[in-house]
Amino acid sequence: MENTGVKNQQAIEYRYVKKNYFEVASEKEVEQIYKFAEKYKKFLDECKTEREVNDYVLEQVKSFGFSEYNFGDKLKTGDKKFLSNRGKGVILFKIGENDIEKQGLRIIVSHLDSPRLDLKQIPLYESDGLCFLKTHYYGGIKKYQWTAIPLALHGVVYTKKSDKINFTIGEKEEEPVFYINDLLPHLGKGQLMKTANTVISAEQLNIVVGGKAKKEASVKDKIKENILEILYKNYKITEDDFISAEISAVPAFKAKDVGFDRSLIGAYGHDDRVCAFSSLMAMIDAKNKNTTICILTDKEEIGSDGVTGIKSKLYEDVINEMCIALKKNASKVRQNSMCISADVTSAYDSNFAEVFEKNNSAILSCGVCMNKFTGDGGKRESNDASAEMVQKIRKIFANNNVIWQTSELGKVDLGGGGTVAKFIAELNIETIDIGVAVISMHAPYELISKADLYSAYTAYKAFLE
Ligand code: MN
Ligand code: MN
């Protein structure tokens, strides 16, 4: 897609006064903003876990001529490759004609995992008229937000015979949903005196899965027995198969337009699928002389650890193997490479003005956000990109009419957060955070602007090209 935005170079380069993208966009561009959002919403409804995004990405890129890469494969200019990391993340790359020792690689990294409730390994129990599944929450959530909303179950189960069963229930109109109880206000005086973090405890995040007792006098837990029968009949799952399963409860909501003007999108998992989707589309559409890599990783929400997180050596291995195949010096290549850590940031929210420093906050619809640094307090655990790197990115954006803004998370003393940027930088690759601003981040239903989604796509595409 071409960008038909404002052509005045100076006006864009010095866009420190944040302007609503809808206000400065041409009519044609507004049309593109809304059209792009339609594809994104469909993607969100299809993909609520990292495994589901992985499968979506492979299907997409195969249709655009990408083929599977295995370590040791020969590579040449024009090759378009994908490598799935155990079904939970994907590395895409295109070999360009530029010399990667001189021009380096252009890399974009986003993550596919979102906060959710994972089932425990022994989850199923019956208690006083209801049957439940016990959960262990994943990522930083406000626990009370996950009660009294419809939930769907997504995941995989490996049975004793090691058959893999893909398990999704609660998304289709005719399917049942699941539920976590909250206390009625009539009896909630004591609960409401508690601090928000303890209003609902982790061990109260138990999911209701049934209430129908079996007609059999000899059985003790009649509701649970009935549920186990249904699970076996419908999915061939037995109780101990949960031990070798990864099932998550996620909000059963669909992505929807928000507002009379339909300028916003409400959905589960904008963090970080908004950056994953826009960077994937940019990777597919970009016509580049550079060699480019699009990394869609897992486990960011719990610290990027584990074999599918960005701390895994896999990513360094791919760059090294690429250099061996192209007969290039990997140290030189990494030294001259640039990376965008594509992750969401907080949007200024006038309802909570006290936590933001307005001059340096992201304003919704004012374009994709560049965070020179993230981290906590005195920039602890931050990548803190160099002024030189910021200037390089500014130039790329100015030359491609990208509408963007600079921002940081909130007031310095109040908290903070991190991204994968610092782990990429450890490989001697210049890295900077650029992503979409989100309202109610990590809530079961988050809010973004369609303008910022499209702006991210144009920014990532310009960077790759
Ligand atoms: Mn994120
Ligand atoms: Mn997050």
Side-chain angles (χ1 to χ4, degrees), residues 116-117 130 132-135 141 143-151 177-183 200-209 249-250:
R116 63 185 187 230
L117 307 175
L130 289 172
F132 298 93
L133 289 168
K134 285 207 74 68
T135 67
I141 60 164
K143 296 185 285 284
Y144 66 83
Q145 291 180 330
W146 292 72
T147 64
I149 59 168
L151 298 168
V177 293
F178 303 89
Y179 188 83
I180 294 174
N181 304 349
D182 199 352
L183 190 57
I200 295 289
S201 72
E203 300 306 337
Q204 286 175 312
L205 292 173
N206 302 316
I207 300 172
V208 173
V209 295
V250 297

PDB file of all heavy atoms in Angstrom, residues 116-117 130 132-135 141 143-151 177-183 200-209 249-250:
ATOM      1  N   ARG A 116      -3.156 -13.639  30.180  1.00  0.00           N
ATOM      2  CA  ARG A 116      -4.279 -14.600  30.102  1.00  0.00           C
ATOM      3  C   ARG A 116      -4.261 -15.457  31.356  1.00  0.00           C
ATOM      4  O   ARG A 116      -3.409 -15.263  32.239  1.00  0.00           O
ATOM      5  CB  ARG A 116      -4.077 -15.475  28.867  1.00  0.00           C
ATOM      6  CG  ARG A 116      -2.788 -16.288  28.993  1.00  0.00           C
ATOM      7  CD  ARG A 116      -2.431 -17.099  27.773  1.00  0.00           C
ATOM      8  NE  ARG A 116      -1.303 -17.946  28.067  1.00  0.00           N
ATOM      9  CZ  ARG A 116      -0.210 -18.047  27.313  1.00  0.00           C
ATOM     10  NH1 ARG A 116      -0.089 -17.341  26.213  1.00  0.00           N
ATOM     11  NH2 ARG A 116       0.780 -18.839  27.664  1.00  0.00           N
ATOM     12  N   LEU A 117      -5.172 -16.433  31.415  1.00  0.00           N
ATOM     13  CA  LEU A 117      -5.203 -17.368  32.533  1.00  0.00           C
ATOM     14  C   LEU A 117      -4.901 -18.770  32.004  1.00  0.00           C
ATOM     15  O   LEU A 117      -5.666 -19.300  31.198  1.00  0.00           O
ATOM     16  CB  LEU A 117      -6.581 -17.361  33.206  1.00  0.00           C
ATOM     17  CG  LEU A 117      -7.109 -15.985  33.637  1.00  0.00           C
ATOM     18  CD1 LEU A 117      -8.531 -16.120  34.164  1.00  0.00           C
ATOM     19  CD2 LEU A 117      -6.204 -15.356  34.694  1.00  0.00           C
ATOM     20  N   LEU A 130     -21.133 -26.745  41.628  1.00  0.00           N
ATOM     21  CA  LEU A 130     -20.452 -26.316  40.400  1.00  0.00           C
ATOM     22  C   LEU A 130     -19.161 -27.109  40.200  1.00  0.00           C
ATOM     23  O   LEU A 130     -18.556 -27.589  41.161  1.00  0.00           O
ATOM     24  CB  LEU A 130     -20.103 -24.817  40.463  1.00  0.00           C
ATOM     25  CG  LEU A 130     -21.257 -23.813  40.367  1.00  0.00           C
ATOM     26  CD1 LEU A 130     -20.744 -22.405  40.639  1.00  0.00           C
ATOM     27  CD2 LEU A 130     -21.925 -23.881  38.992  1.00  0.00           C
ATOM     28  N   PHE A 132     -15.292 -26.663  38.466  1.00  0.00           N
ATOM     29  CA  PHE A 132     -14.365 -25.580  38.118  1.00  0.00           C
ATOM     30  C   PHE A 132     -13.069 -26.103  37.502  1.00  0.00           C
ATOM     31  O   PHE A 132     -12.705 -27.265  37.699  1.00  0.00           O
ATOM     32  CB  PHE A 132     -13.959 -24.804  39.379  1.00  0.00           C
ATOM     33  CG  PHE A 132     -15.066 -24.121  40.121  1.00  0.00           C
ATOM     34  CD1 PHE A 132     -15.720 -24.767  41.172  1.00  0.00           C
ATOM     35  CD2 PHE A 132     -15.438 -22.818  39.811  1.00  0.00           C
ATOM     36  CE1 PHE A 132     -16.723 -24.122  41.889  1.00  0.00           C
ATOM     37  CE2 PHE A 132     -16.430 -22.176  40.519  1.00  0.00           C
ATOM     38  CZ  PHE A 132     -17.079 -22.829  41.564  1.00  0.00           C
ATOM     39  N   LEU A 133     -12.348 -25.174  36.836  1.00  0.00           N
ATOM     40  CA  LEU A 133     -10.966 -25.401  36.428  1.00  0.00           C
ATOM     41  C   LEU A 133     -10.093 -24.383  37.154  1.00  0.00           C
ATOM     42  O   LEU A 133     -10.365 -23.180  37.108  1.00  0.00           O
ATOM     43  CB  LEU A 133     -10.808 -25.201  34.922  1.00  0.00           C
ATOM     44  CG  LEU A 133     -11.419 -26.256  34.001  1.00  0.00           C
ATOM     45  CD1 LEU A 133     -11.437 -25.746  32.557  1.00  0.00           C
ATOM     46  CD2 LEU A 133     -10.644 -27.570  34.085  1.00  0.00           C
ATOM     47  N   LYS A 134      -9.039 -24.854  37.805  1.00  0.00           N
ATOM     48  CA  LYS A 134      -8.128 -23.927  38.484  1.00  0.00           C
ATOM     49  C   LYS A 134      -7.134 -23.325  37.483  1.00  0.00           C
ATOM     50  O   LYS A 134      -6.694 -23.992  36.552  1.00  0.00           O
ATOM     51  CB  LYS A 134      -7.354 -24.642  39.610  1.00  0.00           C
ATOM     52  CG  LYS A 134      -8.218 -24.911  40.833  1.00  0.00           C
ATOM     53  CD  LYS A 134      -7.431 -24.990  42.136  1.00  0.00           C
ATOM     54  CE  LYS A 134      -6.947 -23.657  42.648  1.00  0.00           C
ATOM     55  NZ  LYS A 134      -8.003 -22.733  43.117  1.00  0.00           N
ATOM     56  N   THR A 135      -6.790 -22.048  37.680  1.00  0.00           N
ATOM     57  CA  THR A 135      -5.908 -21.358  36.731  1.00  0.00           C
ATOM     58  C   THR A 135      -4.684 -20.770  37.431  1.00  0.00           C
ATOM     59  O   THR A 135      -4.665 -20.600  38.652  1.00  0.00           O
ATOM     60  CB  THR A 135      -6.632 -20.195  36.021  1.00  0.00           C
ATOM     61  OG1 THR A 135      -6.919 -19.176  36.983  1.00  0.00           O
ATOM     62  CG2 THR A 135      -7.908 -20.659  35.350  1.00  0.00           C
ATOM     63  N   ILE A 141      -1.657  -8.968  35.137  1.00  0.00           N
ATOM     64  CA  ILE A 141      -3.082  -8.642  35.002  1.00  0.00           C
ATOM     65  C   ILE A 141      -3.611  -7.990  36.282  1.00  0.00           C
ATOM     66  O   ILE A 141      -3.022  -8.149  37.352  1.00  0.00           O
ATOM     67  CB  ILE A 141      -3.947  -9.891  34.685  1.00  0.00           C
ATOM     68  CG1 ILE A 141      -3.834 -10.937  35.805  1.00  0.00           C
ATOM     69  CG2 ILE A 141      -3.549 -10.494  33.347  1.00  0.00           C
ATOM     70  CD1 ILE A 141      -4.914 -11.991  35.771  1.00  0.00           C
ATOM     71  N   LYS A 143      -6.362  -8.790  38.486  1.00  0.00           N
ATOM     72  CA  LYS A 143      -7.131 -10.044  38.583  1.00  0.00           C
ATOM     73  C   LYS A 143      -8.648  -9.796  38.591  1.00  0.00           C
ATOM     74  O   LYS A 143      -9.403 -10.564  38.007  1.00  0.00           O
ATOM     75  CB  LYS A 143      -6.689 -10.828  39.827  1.00  0.00           C
ATOM     76  CG  LYS A 143      -5.224 -11.279  39.765  1.00  0.00           C
ATOM     77  CD  LYS A 143      -4.841 -12.151  40.928  1.00  0.00           C
ATOM     78  CE  LYS A 143      -4.655 -11.397  42.225  1.00  0.00           C
ATOM     79  NZ  LYS A 143      -3.398 -10.643  42.324  1.00  0.00           N
ATOM     80  N   TYR A 144      -9.067  -8.703  39.237  1.00  0.00           N
ATOM     81  CA  TYR A 144     -10.515  -8.473  39.346  1.00  0.00           C
ATOM     82  C   TYR A 144     -11.180  -8.250  37.985  1.00  0.00           C
ATOM     83  O   TYR A 144     -12.376  -8.458  37.836  1.00  0.00           O
ATOM     84  CB  TYR A 144     -10.805  -7.288  40.284  1.00  0.00           C
ATOM     85  CG  TYR A 144     -10.330  -5.939  39.772  1.00  0.00           C
ATOM     86  CD1 TYR A 144     -11.098  -5.194  38.882  1.00  0.00           C
ATOM     87  CD2 TYR A 144      -9.113  -5.403  40.195  1.00  0.00           C
ATOM     88  CE1 TYR A 144     -10.657  -3.975  38.411  1.00  0.00           C
ATOM     89  CE2 TYR A 144      -8.664  -4.185  39.731  1.00  0.00           C
ATOM     90  CZ  TYR A 144      -9.439  -3.469  38.835  1.00  0.00           C
ATOM     91  OH  TYR A 144      -8.996  -2.260  38.359  1.00  0.00           O
ATOM     92  N   GLN A 145     -10.374  -7.829  36.966  1.00  0.00           N
ATOM     93  CA  GLN A 145     -10.964  -7.587  35.646  1.00  0.00           C
ATOM     94  C   GLN A 145     -11.389  -8.878  34.939  1.00  0.00           C
ATOM     95  O   GLN A 145     -12.093  -8.828  33.935  1.00  0.00           O
ATOM     96  CB  GLN A 145      -9.952  -6.866  34.739  1.00  0.00           C
ATOM     97  CG  GLN A 145      -9.665  -5.439  35.160  1.00  0.00           C
ATOM     98  CD  GLN A 145      -8.665  -4.776  34.227  1.00  0.00           C
ATOM     99  OE1 GLN A 145      -7.797  -5.430  33.653  1.00  0.00           O
ATOM    100  NE2 GLN A 145      -8.785  -3.463  34.073  1.00  0.00           N
ATOM    101  N   TRP A 146     -10.940 -10.009  35.418  1.00  0.00           N
ATOM    102  CA  TRP A 146     -11.190 -11.268  34.712  1.00  0.00           C
ATOM    103  C   TRP A 146     -12.398 -12.023  35.255  1.00  0.00           C
ATOM    104  O   TRP A 146     -12.694 -13.124  34.812  1.00  0.00           O
ATOM    105  CB  TRP A 146      -9.929 -12.140  34.727  1.00  0.00           C
ATOM    106  CG  TRP A 146      -8.856 -11.503  33.885  1.00  0.00           C
ATOM    107  CD1 TRP A 146      -8.145 -10.373  34.198  1.00  0.00           C
ATOM    108  CD2 TRP A 146      -8.427 -11.891  32.580  1.00  0.00           C
ATOM    109  NE1 TRP A 146      -7.288 -10.046  33.163  1.00  0.00           N
ATOM    110  CE2 TRP A 146      -7.444 -10.962  32.169  1.00  0.00           C
ATOM    111  CE3 TRP A 146      -8.759 -12.938  31.726  1.00  0.00           C
ATOM    112  CZ2 TRP A 146      -6.807 -11.041  30.934  1.00  0.00           C
ATOM    113  CZ3 TRP A 146      -8.116 -13.029  30.492  1.00  0.00           C
ATOM    114  CH2 TRP A 146      -7.151 -12.082  30.124  1.00  0.00           C
ATOM    115  N   THR A 147     -13.102 -11.439  36.219  1.00  0.00           N
ATOM    116  CA  THR A 147     -14.317 -12.068  36.732  1.00  0.00           C
ATOM    117  C   THR A 147     -15.530 -11.547  35.958  1.00  0.00           C
ATOM    118  O   THR A 147     -15.488 -10.464  35.368  1.00  0.00           O
ATOM    119  CB  THR A 147     -14.532 -11.726  38.222  1.00  0.00           C
ATOM    120  OG1 THR A 147     -14.745 -10.319  38.346  1.00  0.00           O
ATOM    121  CG2 THR A 147     -13.347 -12.133  39.070  1.00  0.00           C
ATOM    122  N   ALA A 148     -16.592 -12.352  35.959  1.00  0.00           N
ATOM    123  CA  ALA A 148     -17.895 -11.953  35.411  1.00  0.00           C
ATOM    124  C   ALA A 148     -17.834 -11.486  33.953  1.00  0.00           C
ATOM    125  O   ALA A 148     -18.538 -10.547  33.567  1.00  0.00           O
ATOM    126  CB  ALA A 148     -18.529 -10.876  36.304  1.00  0.00           C
ATOM    127  N   ILE A 149     -16.967 -12.095  33.172  1.00  0.00           N
ATOM    128  CA  ILE A 149     -16.937 -11.858  31.710  1.00  0.00           C
ATOM    129  C   ILE A 149     -16.916 -13.219  31.000  1.00  0.00           C
ATOM    130  O   ILE A 149     -16.478 -14.212  31.584  1.00  0.00           O
ATOM    131  CB  ILE A 149     -15.708 -11.012  31.259  1.00  0.00           C
ATOM    132  CG1 ILE A 149     -14.385 -11.692  31.640  1.00  0.00           C
ATOM    133  CG2 ILE A 149     -15.775  -9.598  31.827  1.00  0.00           C
ATOM    134  CD1 ILE A 149     -13.160 -11.075  30.992  1.00  0.00           C
ATOM    135  N   PRO A 150     -17.406 -13.284  29.750  1.00  0.00           N
ATOM    136  CA  PRO A 150     -17.355 -14.561  29.044  1.00  0.00           C
ATOM    137  C   PRO A 150     -15.924 -14.915  28.643  1.00  0.00           C
ATOM    138  O   PRO A 150     -15.179 -14.061  28.156  1.00  0.00           O
ATOM    139  CB  PRO A 150     -18.203 -14.306  27.793  1.00  0.00           C
ATOM    140  CG  PRO A 150     -18.198 -12.830  27.606  1.00  0.00           C
ATOM    141  CD  PRO A 150     -18.040 -12.210  28.961  1.00  0.00           C
ATOM    142  N   LEU A 151     -15.540 -16.161  28.895  1.00  0.00           N
ATOM    143  CA  LEU A 151     -14.186 -16.621  28.574  1.00  0.00           C
ATOM    144  C   LEU A 151     -14.253 -17.790  27.596  1.00  0.00           C
ATOM    145  O   LEU A 151     -15.215 -18.558  27.601  1.00  0.00           O
ATOM    146  CB  LEU A 151     -13.471 -17.082  29.846  1.00  0.00           C
ATOM    147  CG  LEU A 151     -13.243 -16.024  30.925  1.00  0.00           C
ATOM    148  CD1 LEU A 151     -12.795 -16.692  32.225  1.00  0.00           C
ATOM    149  CD2 LEU A 151     -12.209 -14.992  30.479  1.00  0.00           C
ATOM    150  N   VAL A 177     -19.642 -20.592  26.679  1.00  0.00           N
ATOM    151  CA  VAL A 177     -18.464 -19.864  27.172  1.00  0.00           C
ATOM    152  C   VAL A 177     -18.236 -20.273  28.626  1.00  0.00           C
ATOM    153  O   VAL A 177     -18.982 -21.088  29.178  1.00  0.00           O
ATOM    154  CB  VAL A 177     -18.647 -18.329  27.067  1.00  0.00           C
ATOM    155  CG1 VAL A 177     -18.696 -17.895  25.619  1.00  0.00           C
ATOM    156  CG2 VAL A 177     -19.865 -17.857  27.839  1.00  0.00           C
ATOM    157  N   PHE A 178     -17.203 -19.722  29.233  1.00  0.00           N
ATOM    158  CA  PHE A 178     -16.825 -20.074  30.600  1.00  0.00           C
ATOM    159  C   PHE A 178     -16.803 -18.794  31.437  1.00  0.00           C
ATOM    160  O   PHE A 178     -16.910 -17.692  30.892  1.00  0.00           O
ATOM    161  CB  PHE A 178     -15.504 -20.835  30.585  1.00  0.00           C
ATOM    162  CG  PHE A 178     -15.610 -22.063  29.710  1.00  0.00           C
ATOM    163  CD1 PHE A 178     -15.318 -21.995  28.339  1.00  0.00           C
ATOM    164  CD2 PHE A 178     -16.077 -23.256  30.224  1.00  0.00           C
ATOM    165  CE1 PHE A 178     -15.472 -23.105  27.518  1.00  0.00           C
ATOM    166  CE2 PHE A 178     -16.240 -24.375  29.411  1.00  0.00           C
ATOM    167  CZ  PHE A 178     -15.937 -24.297  28.058  1.00  0.00           C
ATOM    168  N   TYR A 179     -16.625 -18.926  32.743  1.00  0.00           N
ATOM    169  CA  TYR A 179     -16.989 -17.814  33.613  1.00  0.00           C
ATOM    170  C   TYR A 179     -16.235 -17.893  34.937  1.00  0.00           C
ATOM    171  O   TYR A 179     -15.999 -18.988  35.462  1.00  0.00           O
ATOM    172  CB  TYR A 179     -18.506 -17.903  33.867  1.00  0.00           C
ATOM    173  CG  TYR A 179     -19.121 -16.746  34.594  1.00  0.00           C
ATOM    174  CD1 TYR A 179     -19.483 -15.586  33.921  1.00  0.00           C
ATOM    175  CD2 TYR A 179     -19.358 -16.809  35.978  1.00  0.00           C
ATOM    176  CE1 TYR A 179     -20.066 -14.520  34.587  1.00  0.00           C
ATOM    177  CE2 TYR A 179     -19.939 -15.737  36.649  1.00  0.00           C
ATOM    178  CZ  TYR A 179     -20.293 -14.606  35.946  1.00  0.00           C
ATOM    179  OH  TYR A 179     -20.873 -13.535  36.603  1.00  0.00           O
ATOM    180  N   ILE A 180     -15.857 -16.716  35.471  1.00  0.00           N
ATOM    181  CA  ILE A 180     -15.254 -16.664  36.815  1.00  0.00           C
ATOM    182  C   ILE A 180     -16.159 -15.822  37.725  1.00  0.00           C
ATOM    183  O   ILE A 180     -16.551 -14.707  37.358  1.00  0.00           O
ATOM    184  CB  ILE A 180     -13.825 -16.083  36.762  1.00  0.00           C
ATOM    185  CG1 ILE A 180     -12.914 -17.048  35.999  1.00  0.00           C
ATOM    186  CG2 ILE A 180     -13.295 -15.850  38.167  1.00  0.00           C
ATOM    187  CD1 ILE A 180     -11.523 -16.536  35.745  1.00  0.00           C
ATOM    188  N   ASN A 181     -16.465 -16.360  38.890  1.00  0.00           N
ATOM    189  CA  ASN A 181     -17.428 -15.712  39.793  1.00  0.00           C
ATOM    190  C   ASN A 181     -16.862 -14.468  40.461  1.00  0.00           C
ATOM    191  O   ASN A 181     -15.674 -14.414  40.778  1.00  0.00           O
ATOM    192  CB  ASN A 181     -17.827 -16.689  40.900  1.00  0.00           C
ATOM    193  CG  ASN A 181     -18.383 -17.985  40.353  1.00  0.00           C
ATOM    194  OD1 ASN A 181     -18.656 -18.103  39.171  1.00  0.00           O
ATOM    195  ND2 ASN A 181     -18.543 -18.963  41.230  1.00  0.00           N
ATOM    196  N   ASP A 182     -17.733 -13.495  40.697  1.00  0.00           N
ATOM    197  CA  ASP A 182     -17.414 -12.383  41.591  1.00  0.00           C
ATOM    198  C   ASP A 182     -18.500 -12.356  42.666  1.00  0.00           C
ATOM    199  O   ASP A 182     -19.515 -13.040  42.543  1.00  0.00           O
ATOM    200  CB  ASP A 182     -17.346 -11.051  40.822  1.00  0.00           C
ATOM    201  CG  ASP A 182     -16.579  -9.981  41.593  1.00  0.00           C
ATOM    202  OD1 ASP A 182     -16.238 -10.218  42.777  1.00  0.00           O
ATOM    203  OD2 ASP A 182     -16.329  -8.901  41.027  1.00  0.00           O
ATOM    204  N   LEU A 183     -18.271 -11.557  43.688  1.00  0.00           N
ATOM    205  CA  LEU A 183     -19.190 -11.493  44.818  1.00  0.00           C
ATOM    206  C   LEU A 183     -20.281 -10.456  44.558  1.00  0.00           C
ATOM    207  O   LEU A 183     -20.017  -9.383  44.030  1.00  0.00           O
ATOM    208  CB  LEU A 183     -18.383 -11.124  46.068  1.00  0.00           C
ATOM    209  CG  LEU A 183     -19.057 -11.203  47.429  1.00  0.00           C
ATOM    210  CD1 LEU A 183     -19.615 -12.591  47.715  1.00  0.00           C
ATOM    211  CD2 LEU A 183     -18.045 -10.823  48.508  1.00  0.00           C
ATOM    212  N   ILE A 200      -9.747  -9.860  44.358  1.00  0.00           N
ATOM    213  CA  ILE A 200      -9.830 -11.241  43.870  1.00  0.00           C
ATOM    214  C   ILE A 200      -8.423 -11.820  43.956  1.00  0.00           C
ATOM    215  O   ILE A 200      -7.472 -11.226  43.450  1.00  0.00           O
ATOM    216  CB  ILE A 200     -10.313 -11.284  42.395  1.00  0.00           C
ATOM    217  CG1 ILE A 200     -11.738 -10.762  42.270  1.00  0.00           C
ATOM    218  CG2 ILE A 200     -10.185 -12.691  41.814  1.00  0.00           C
ATOM    219  CD1 ILE A 200     -12.831 -11.666  42.833  1.00  0.00           C
ATOM    220  N   SER A 201      -8.285 -12.957  44.628  1.00  0.00           N
ATOM    221  CA  SER A 201      -6.951 -13.576  44.729  1.00  0.00           C
ATOM    222  C   SER A 201      -6.741 -14.542  43.572  1.00  0.00           C
ATOM    223  O   SER A 201      -7.702 -14.965  42.926  1.00  0.00           O
ATOM    224  CB  SER A 201      -6.823 -14.319  46.062  1.00  0.00           C
ATOM    225  OG  SER A 201      -7.617 -15.491  46.006  1.00  0.00           O
ATOM    226  N   ALA A 202      -5.495 -14.892  43.338  1.00  0.00           N
ATOM    227  CA  ALA A 202      -5.178 -15.818  42.240  1.00  0.00           C
ATOM    228  C   ALA A 202      -5.928 -17.140  42.402  1.00  0.00           C
ATOM    229  O   ALA A 202      -6.399 -17.727  41.433  1.00  0.00           O
ATOM    230  CB  ALA A 202      -3.671 -16.060  42.171  1.00  0.00           C
ATOM    231  N   GLU A 203      -6.084 -17.607  43.637  1.00  0.00           N
ATOM    232  CA  GLU A 203      -6.746 -18.896  43.860  1.00  0.00           C
ATOM    233  C   GLU A 203      -8.269 -18.802  43.760  1.00  0.00           C
ATOM    234  O   GLU A 203      -8.966 -19.808  43.863  1.00  0.00           O
ATOM    235  CB  GLU A 203      -6.319 -19.496  45.212  1.00  0.00           C
ATOM    236  CG  GLU A 203      -4.822 -19.763  45.335  1.00  0.00           C
ATOM    237  CD  GLU A 203      -4.214 -20.620  44.215  1.00  0.00           C
ATOM    238  OE1 GLU A 203      -4.949 -21.386  43.568  1.00  0.00           O
ATOM    239  OE2 GLU A 203      -2.993 -20.486  43.973  1.00  0.00           O
ATOM    240  N   GLN A 204      -8.773 -17.573  43.589  1.00  0.00           N
ATOM    241  CA  GLN A 204     -10.214 -17.416  43.311  1.00  0.00           C
ATOM    242  C   GLN A 204     -10.504 -17.361  41.813  1.00  0.00           C
ATOM    243  O   GLN A 204     -11.658 -17.327  41.413  1.00  0.00           O
ATOM    244  CB  GLN A 204     -10.746 -16.138  43.971  1.00  0.00           C
ATOM    245  CG  GLN A 204     -10.891 -16.244  45.481  1.00  0.00           C
ATOM    246  CD  GLN A 204     -11.297 -14.919  46.113  1.00  0.00           C
ATOM    247  OE1 GLN A 204     -10.709 -13.876  45.825  1.00  0.00           O
ATOM    248  NE2 GLN A 204     -12.307 -14.956  46.962  1.00  0.00           N
ATOM    249  N   LEU A 205      -9.446 -17.348  40.996  1.00  0.00           N
ATOM    250  CA  LEU A 205      -9.643 -17.300  39.536  1.00  0.00           C
ATOM    251  C   LEU A 205      -9.936 -18.718  39.025  1.00  0.00           C
ATOM    252  O   LEU A 205      -9.179 -19.311  38.265  1.00  0.00           O
ATOM    253  CB  LEU A 205      -8.412 -16.699  38.844  1.00  0.00           C
ATOM    254  CG  LEU A 205      -8.172 -15.201  39.118  1.00  0.00           C
ATOM    255  CD1 LEU A 205      -6.837 -14.761  38.519  1.00  0.00           C
ATOM    256  CD2 LEU A 205      -9.298 -14.345  38.549  1.00  0.00           C
ATOM    257  N   ASN A 206     -11.055 -19.250  39.485  1.00  0.00           N
ATOM    258  CA  ASN A 206     -11.470 -20.608  39.116  1.00  0.00           C
ATOM    259  C   ASN A 206     -12.609 -20.520  38.114  1.00  0.00           C
ATOM    260  O   ASN A 206     -13.566 -19.772  38.325  1.00  0.00           O
ATOM    261  CB  ASN A 206     -11.902 -21.368  40.370  1.00  0.00           C
ATOM    262  CG  ASN A 206     -10.780 -21.416  41.403  1.00  0.00           C
ATOM    263  OD1 ASN A 206      -9.622 -21.662  41.057  1.00  0.00           O
ATOM    264  ND2 ASN A 206     -11.106 -21.138  42.653  1.00  0.00           N
ATOM    265  N   ILE A 207     -12.467 -21.269  37.040  1.00  0.00           N
ATOM    266  CA  ILE A 207     -13.398 -21.127  35.917  1.00  0.00           C
ATOM    267  C   ILE A 207     -14.546 -22.125  36.019  1.00  0.00           C
ATOM    268  O   ILE A 207     -14.316 -23.342  36.113  1.00  0.00           O
ATOM    269  CB  ILE A 207     -12.642 -21.347  34.577  1.00  0.00           C
ATOM    270  CG1 ILE A 207     -11.521 -20.305  34.446  1.00  0.00           C
ATOM    271  CG2 ILE A 207     -13.596 -21.273  33.392  1.00  0.00           C
ATOM    272  CD1 ILE A 207     -10.608 -20.562  33.268  1.00  0.00           C
ATOM    273  N   VAL A 208     -15.769 -21.617  35.982  1.00  0.00           N
ATOM    274  CA  VAL A 208     -16.960 -22.480  36.020  1.00  0.00           C
ATOM    275  C   VAL A 208     -17.077 -23.223  34.696  1.00  0.00           C
ATOM    276  O   VAL A 208     -17.088 -22.612  33.627  1.00  0.00           O
ATOM    277  CB  VAL A 208     -18.233 -21.650  36.253  1.00  0.00           C
ATOM    278  CG1 VAL A 208     -19.475 -22.531  36.127  1.00  0.00           C
ATOM    279  CG2 VAL A 208     -18.199 -20.971  37.617  1.00  0.00           C
ATOM    280  N   VAL A 209     -17.153 -24.580  34.786  1.00  0.00           N
ATOM    281  CA  VAL A 209     -17.284 -25.372  33.562  1.00  0.00           C
ATOM    282  C   VAL A 209     -18.524 -26.268  33.552  1.00  0.00           C
ATOM    283  O   VAL A 209     -18.759 -26.978  32.581  1.00  0.00           O
ATOM    284  CB  VAL A 209     -16.028 -26.234  33.279  1.00  0.00           C
ATOM    285  CG1 VAL A 209     -14.829 -25.344  32.988  1.00  0.00           C
ATOM    286  CG2 VAL A 209     -15.725 -27.188  34.427  1.00  0.00           C
ATOM    287  N   ALA A 249      -7.383 -19.658  29.263  1.00  0.00           N
ATOM    288  CA  ALA A 249      -8.666 -18.966  29.202  1.00  0.00           C
ATOM    289  C   ALA A 249      -8.399 -17.542  28.745  1.00  0.00           C
ATOM    290  O   ALA A 249      -7.551 -16.845  29.304  1.00  0.00           O
ATOM    291  CB  ALA A 249      -9.331 -18.961  30.571  1.00  0.00           C
ATOM    292  N   VAL A 250      -9.103 -17.136  27.692  1.00  0.00           N
ATOM    293  CA  VAL A 250      -8.970 -15.777  27.152  1.00  0.00           C
ATOM    294  C   VAL A 250     -10.369 -15.175  27.030  1.00  0.00           C
ATOM    295  O   VAL A 250     -11.345 -15.927  26.959  1.00  0.00           O
ATOM    296  CB  VAL A 250      -8.273 -15.779  25.761  1.00  0.00           C
ATOM    297  CG1 VAL A 250      -6.853 -16.310  25.871  1.00  0.00           C
ATOM    298  CG2 VAL A 250      -9.062 -16.579  24.749  1.00  0.00           C
TER     299      VAL A 250
END
